[in-house]
Amino acid sequence: MLYLLLVLIIGAAIYFGWRAIRAQSNRAKTRVIGPDDDPDFLWRLSHGDKPR
């Protein structure tokens, strides 16, 4: 009986660990926008802060 309980506890730990890892990997990745991705920023660098 004790072995059955031990197997159930280990199985539950593996199952919940697997679910946690899958939930973490399916999370949306955030994208960092740098100066290279912003054409307005690059335009302001070459022309100062004057509006277009």
Side-chain angles (χ1 to χ4, degrees):
M1 185 68 182
L2 186 59
Y3 292 117
L4 179 61
L5 184 60
L6 184 63
V7 168
L8 286 175
I9 290 172
I10 291 172
I14 291 171
Y15 173 75
F16 287 117
W18 176 69
R19 293 285 300 218
I21 290 170
R22 284 191 41 148
Q24 187 73 14
S25 67
N26 288 340
R27 206 174 63 185
K29 311 273 189 291
T30 58
R31 182 170 180 268
V32 177
I33 298 176
D36 297 355
D37 298 334
D38 186 2
D40 290 333
F41 175 79
L42 296 175
W43 188 89
R44 286 193 311 267
L45 278 180
S46 62
H47 296 93
D49 282 334
K50 296 178 286 192
R52 290 187 182 179

